[in-house]
């Protein structure tokens, strides 16, 4: 049988050192912010790569006479994010899709209301 590990399970990303406990809460905030900044940098790089792949697919489709967007595929992506991230995941996917398809709205998507809809009053 293997002996139990003395180390607590870590939720830190690989290669990230845990903060040194100093008793100063601002020290751990600074540590965690370094981790957040590093993760955000990686996420931004991945999003750039995603944007390029997405633009290529859209170009291939429109060059062949198809629509720029594919609403069924978008629903699949939104569902993947919701499954992976929980409640807010779908919103993350929608934000990414909005960026990656540019100004073009998904043909089945409800229009995003950025301006007040005119109502009678
Ligand atoms: O997968 C596609 O068909 C794409 O065009 C890529 C992508 C995406 O960014 O994931 C972009 C626009 C489409 O509406 C659906 C998905």
């Amino acid at each position: 049988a293997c002996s139990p590990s003395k180390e607590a399970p870590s939720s830190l990303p690989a290669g990230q050192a845990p903060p040194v406990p100093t008793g100063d809460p601002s020290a751990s905030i600074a540590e965690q912010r370094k981790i957040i900044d590093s993760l955000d940098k990686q996420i931004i790089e991945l999003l750039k790569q995603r944007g390029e792949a997405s633009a290529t697919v859209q170009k291939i489709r429109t060059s062949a006479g198809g629509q720029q967007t594919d609403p069924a595929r978008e629903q699949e992506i939104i569902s993947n994010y919701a499954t992976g991230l929980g409640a807010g995941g779908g919103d993350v996917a929608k934000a990414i899709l909005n960026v990656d398809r540019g100004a073009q709205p998904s043909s089945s998507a409800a229009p995003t209301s950025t301006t007040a809809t005119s109502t009678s009053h």
Side-chain angles (χ1 to χ4, degrees), residues 62-109:
T62 53
S63 298
Q67 296 291 308
Q68 187 189 335
T69 62
D70 181 339
R73 173 65 179 151
E74 293 199 11
Q75 284 309 312
E76 188 177 34
I77 291 164
I78 291 163
S79 159
N80 286 344
Y81 274 73
T83 301
L85 295 175
D91 289 340
V92 173
K94 286 176 197 171
I96 292 171
L97 288 164
N98 280 339
V99 170
D100 285 357
R101 82 169 96 74
Q104 174 78 28
S106 178
S107 30
S108 77

Side-chain angles (χ1 to χ4, degrees), residues 11-97:
S11 60
L12 291 164
Q16 297 281 6
V20 178
T22 61
D24 175 1
S26 67
S28 70
I29 287 173
E31 280 300 327
Q32 295 305 312
R33 283 183 176 172
K34 276 187 211 164
I35 293 170
I36 288 168
D37 286 345
S38 165
L39 291 169
D40 282 346
K41 212 170 147 185
Q42 294 173 63
I43 291 167
I44 289 164
E45 179 53 39
L46 290 171
L47 286 172
K48 280 188 189 172
Q49 292 177 30
R50 187 194 194 287
E52 286 168 17
S54 175
T56 301
V57 176
Q58 292 172 61
K59 200 178 290 180
I60 291 168
R61 193 168 42 245
T62 53
S63 298
Q67 296 291 308
Q68 187 189 335
T69 62
D70 181 339
R73 173 65 179 151
E74 293 199 11
Q75 284 309 312
E76 188 177 34
I77 291 164
I78 291 163
S79 159
N80 286 344
Y81 274 73
T83 301
L85 295 175
D91 289 340
V92 173
K94 286 176 197 171
I96 292 171
L97 288 164

